[in-house]
Amino acid sequence: MLDLSKALREKLNSAFTLFSAEVVAHQVASDLTEKLLLKMPGGDTVECVLMREPDRRTICISTQVGCAMGCVFCASGMLGLKRNLQREEILEQILRLDRLLDADERLTNIVVMGIGEPLQNLPVLLPVLDEVTDPKGLGLSPRRITISTVGLPAKIRELAAVGKPYNLAVSLHAPTDELRDELVPVNDKIGVYAILEATDEYFETSGRRVTFEYVLLGGLNDQPEHAHQLATLLKSRNAHVNLIPMNRVETLDFDEPSASRTAEFVSILEERGVAATVRKRKGADIDAACGQLRLKDAAIDGPTLDVV
Ligand code: SAH
């Protein structure tokens, strides 16, 4: 703001801060995915990611410090839930990532798929998204924002009642309660059927096709019978399946699916009329998968990571 005097600029600078967190790690992958580890004043850390594709710039943001859901293959929940993030802590992730873009780049999409269960922090998340979608804010269309949940039916209905066309992604990961109870422990109090009832309502209210995320864990939920069971659940629904090959987490004993199993899974779904895609891996040479950077930081108690 060079139209202000230097003295005033210095005064403003010393009296106000725009950001309160410290960037303790900034990793850049060979595919130009960038990841930030932010440390808040109280010492809590949170991760956020910028992903570049030819026609989009997507950021992935966190909503909680840790996570209470305890999905057995996920790094984010390994230390449990510490607390919900506050409005300014979520906004700071968005604004800091936006500033990583070059002058000729523009933020096109937001996925709320970082650390935490977003629907457990709706009273904070919704006003943040209001600011993001406000023409006086970032002016992003709600259609370009995706909220990913473990599948909390009451909260899905609450989100539907907001009446904005946000995309909903539900982390199903298993076609039966028996298997889902093992992989997503909170399922024993919810159940696949209750989730599908809520997502049907979300689709009716919002008109947005729901995405079902399905992490493929080698030898566990990636067999042809699982694809058939999943197709039976979804074939009459206007749904889309996003298959996510397991991202290795050092201390966890789960394997990636083989390429042939993954291809077979996709083709069974497609043959049975269910749209399916395999999530592209971004930032494979940095710790870009959920919660991995924060976990490392906690384990070594300080950032000795490669800082770019
Ligand atoms: N709490 C939200 C956001 C979680 S992160 C939810 O449950 O949807 C976004 C997605 O990544 C979820 O589908 C999550 O289950 C999945 N995920 C977590 N750990 C993973 C891993 N190690 N490999 C692949 N996908 C993983």
Side-chain angles (χ1 to χ4, degrees):
M1 296 174 77
L2 297 175
D3 48 349
L4 301 182
S5 73
K6 187 157 185 258
L8 179 55
R9 275 184 277 144
E10 271 164 15
K11 207 166 167 185
L12 287 171
N13 221 4
S14 61
F16 299 99
T17 47
L18 195 52
F19 291 140
S20 61
E22 183 194 344
V23 179
V24 288
H26 178 185
Q27 299 183 326
V28 184
S30 50
D31 64 5
L32 299 183
T33 295
E34 298 191 45
K35 182 164 204 167
L36 298 177
L37 181 68
L38 302 179
K39 188 166 262 167
M40 269 86 70
D44 292 332
T45 53
V46 62
E47 294 174 34
C48 52
V49 187
L50 162 66
M51 291 163 287
R52 293 180 158 95
E53 281 173 273
D55 56 342
R56 14 171 119 185
R57 299 291 180 270
T58 303
I59 62 171
C60 177
I61 56 168
S62 297
T63 52
Q64 297 184 311
V65 179
C67 184
M69 299 299 108
C71 301
V72 295
F73 48 83
C74 178
S76 298
M78 286 170 70
L79 303 173
L81 172 69
K82 186 141 181 224
R83 65 176 176 86
N84 277 330
L85 287 176
Q86 295 163 359
R87 168 186 170 275
E88 61 275 14
E89 293 169 326
I90 300 180
L91 275 172
E92 180 161 346
Q93 297 173 57
I94 299 170
L95 296 175
R96 280 198 186 267
L97 291 167
D98 189 48
R99 278 159 201 231
L100 297 178
L101 295 171
D102 290 337
D104 61 346
E105 293 180 303
R106 217 172 47 85
L107 175 65
T108 61
N109 297 73
I110 297 183
V111 294
V112 189
M113 289 189 185
I115 297 175
E117 170 45 49
L119 297 194
Q120 280 198 327
N121 195 10
L122 269 184
V124 168
L125 178 63
L126 289 174
V128 167
L129 297 182
D130 284 342
E131 291 183 72
V132 167
T133 52
D134 190 325
K136 287 187 185 148
L138 293 180
L140 206 70
S141 162
R143 292 185 161 76
R144 292 182 169 271
I145 297 176
T146 300
I147 301 171
S148 178
T149 175
V150 74
L152 308 173
K155 302 280 179 187
I156 291 174
R157 292 191 173 94
E158 212 178 306
L159 183 64
V162 169
K164 294 226 179 147
Y166 296 125
N167 300 302
L168 179 69
V170 174
S171 299
L172 200 59
H173 304 326
T176 61
D177 280 329
E178 196 190 356
L179 186 55
R180 194 168 195 265
D181 287 352
E182 267 177 49
L183 305 178
V184 181
V186 294
N187 188 64
D188 69 353
K189 289 186 209 70
I190 303 171
V192 170
Y193 183 74
I195 293 175
L196 293 177
E197 267 187 334
T199 53
D200 286 348
E201 278 182 47
Y202 191 85
F203 174 65
E204 276 159 34
T205 315
S206 69
R208 306 298 286 163
R209 183 175 76 160
V210 175
T211 293
F212 292 93
E213 293 158 289
Y214 192 105
V215 58
L216 286 170
L217 306 165
L220 256 180
N221 66 350
D222 64 342
Q223 307 296 307
E225 60 167 305
H226 301 125
H228 280 292
Q229 289 166 334
L230 187 61
T232 303
L233 285 183
L234 299 181
K235 66 178 192 300
S236 59
R237 299 187 149 88
N238 192 350
H240 173 249
V241 175
N242 194 203
L243 297 164
I244 319 172
M246 166 75 189
N247 265 309
R248 295 274 318 144
V249 177
E250 246 166 58
T251 49
L252 293 179
D253 205 14
F254 294 100
D255 294 321
E256 297 165 20
S258 69
S260 60
R261 273 270 180 260
T262 306
E264 194 181 359
F265 208 96
V266 174
S267 63
I268 292 172
L269 290 176
E270 282 178 346
E271 273 162 28
R272 305 230 1 229
V274 177
T277 45
V278 180
R279 185 173 297 176
K280 256 185 277 162
R281 215 150 167 203
K282 306 290 286 178
D285 52 344
I286 59 172
D287 304 286
C290 322
Q292 308 225 21
L293 195 52
R294 175 171 172 266
L295 208 59
K296 266 194 197 172
D297 184 63
I300 58 186
D301 193 35
T304 57
L305 299 149
D306 296 339
V307 177
V308 181

